[in-house]
Amino acid sequence: MSKPLITALAQFVAATAGRNMTKAAYVAVGVGVLSMVLLTDNRANEASGWVSGLLWACLAYFVFEWLVRLRHMARTGRLALYMSSSAGIVDAIGALAVPVALILGVEPKTAWLLSVLWVLKVVPGIPGLRQLRRVLVLESGPLVSVLVIFLTVVFLASVAEYFLERDVQPQTFGSVPNALWWAVVTLTTTGYGDVVPVTPLGRIVAALVMISGLGVFGLWTGILATGFAAETRRDNFLKTWESVSKVPFFAALGPAAIADVTHMLRTMELPARTLIIRKGAQGDCMYFIAAGEVEVDLPGKKVQLGEGAFFGEMALLGNNLRGANVSTTKVSRLLVLDLVDFRVLMARHPDLAETIDAEAKRRALENK
């Protein structure tokens, strides 16, 4: 075996040993689930041979992945932690569910349905899943309260409809459990129409249940939306704080002042060769370079500004027209300070105002 092949194989095994999904794992999940779906289609019976082959290949990969991770965790002394973690349990299910079912004598077409569990392997890689979990934990109290309201309305409505409709429709409302089905369908505003009250009082109760359903799900939506908005603001604040703390211009500020600045700044991620400022345009903000580089196109020369520098302040201090074109030379992350926030910040921190004013005067002299 050639050395490059051995190196590539070692890199592949090292990537597989990690907890993150590799590109090969994503392909295996996609091909495996698609093959399972095709196996259930009677029209694909002629191709069932190669479909089964794809399923076995995907299963072999997931068994290999699981064994590699077990070996890696055993070497690092984290085997017990891995096996009891959600990732370890999902890996074990992905590797063992189908073989165990086949060993127990389950019909192959039915056993391969368990390959749908491979989808669980991609769940940890879904963006925002950690944020969703945090929102559910933080908002668990209000969410449970609304759930209690939901269950209360369902139970009261089912008992009321049983009392009002049992003599008229004994087949559908002859017991509280039967009425519970109607209550759930109605409160969720699904409205299958398979069970419908016919008495006047029964219809009034149904109307109240439908209105309650709108209110309950509106509350759930509002709680989750508010929680997500709060978490998004928190994440943005932390990211901006990290960027601000790395800018030398703000290095002398204390934590309270940096927090004040962070609330005012917004982050902008830009690719290379992107025009940020156009000469002659109205200036309503200034920029700090958290990462990357920009190029200022001045008459007769071009000036590069790197990490920690700022630009666009001259339009805020005097003439509000931009004096030069500014564009990125490589991928850059900028912190943007709007005009209103700029004035507030300068009023709160005179030392920053003096620094920016001195730099603006120096640049104005250079540009003459």
Side-chain angles (χ1 to χ4, degrees), residues 91-350:
D91 288 344
I93 291 174
L96 300 177
V98 175
V100 169
L102 292 172
I103 292 172
L104 293 176
V106 178
E107 195 267 328
K109 206 168 186 179
T110 302
W112 281 115
L113 292 177
L114 293 173
S115 61
V116 73
L117 297 174
W118 295 341
V119 175
L120 297 176
K121 298 176 73 68
V122 306
V123 171
I126 297 175
L129 186 64
R130 184 175 299 176
Q131 188 179 36
L132 173 60
R133 184 169 62 245
R134 183 173 175 82
V135 170
L136 292 176
V137 171
L138 293 176
E139 303 296 337
S140 59
L143 290 172
V144 170
S145 298
V146 178
L147 177 62
V148 171
I149 295 173
F150 176 87
L151 296 176
T152 301
V153 173
V154 165
F155 184 70
L156 292 177
S158 61
V159 172
E161 288 296 344
Y162 164 71
F163 174 74
L164 296 171
E165 299 283 334
R166 61 182 175 178
D167 296 330
V168 181
Q169 301 185 76
Q171 295 298 323
T172 54
F173 289 99
S175 67
V176 172
N178 287 344
L180 276 171
W181 165 254
W182 167 87
V184 171
V185 170
T186 305
L187 189 58
T188 57
T189 67
T190 303
Y192 290 128
D194 55 341
V195 181
V196 181
V198 295
T199 63
L201 288 177
R203 291 182 174 180
I204 291 174
V205 171
L208 294 175
V209 171
M210 284 183 269
I211 295 171
S212 298
L214 295 174
V216 166
F217 284 94
L219 285 172
W220 266 326
T221 303
I223 292 169
L224 291 175
T226 303
F228 267 109
E231 280 300 300
T232 300
R233 286 195 299 269
R234 175 180 171 276
D235 289 345
N236 290 339
F237 178 83
L238 293 175
K239 291 177 182 177
T240 307
W241 174 286
E242 183 180 1
S243 299
V244 169
S245 62
K246 292 180 180 178
V247 176
F249 182 77
F250 298 115
L253 297 179
I258 291 181
D260 193 19
V261 173
T262 301
H263 282 297
M264 297 179 180
L265 296 172
R266 53 189 172 90
T267 305
M268 179 184 293
E269 303 277 351
L270 296 175
R273 295 182 296 278
T274 300
L275 183 65
I276 307 168
I277 291 177
R278 187 180 299 277
K279 185 177 180 179
Q282 292 286 334
D284 60 356
C285 62
M286 68 175 294
Y287 303 85
F288 299 88
I289 305 174
E293 184 184 70
V294 303
E295 183 177 75
V296 184
D297 190 4
L298 297 172
K301 62 179 179 178
K302 293 184 178 181
V303 178
Q304 280 74 37
L305 300 177
E307 185 173 326
F310 59 87
F311 60 94
E313 78 289 346
M314 298 182 71
L316 305 184
L317 293 171
N319 182 9
N320 63 349
L321 295 179
R322 300 295 191 185
N325 291 330
V326 182
S327 57
T328 58
T329 59
K330 55 186 177 182
V331 177
S332 302
R333 183 169 69 255
L334 305 180
L335 303 175
V336 186
L337 182 64
D338 292 321
L339 176 59
V340 175
D341 293 328
F342 171 79
R343 291 173 177 170
V344 173
L345 184 63
M346 296 305 100
R348 292 180 180 176
H349 303 283

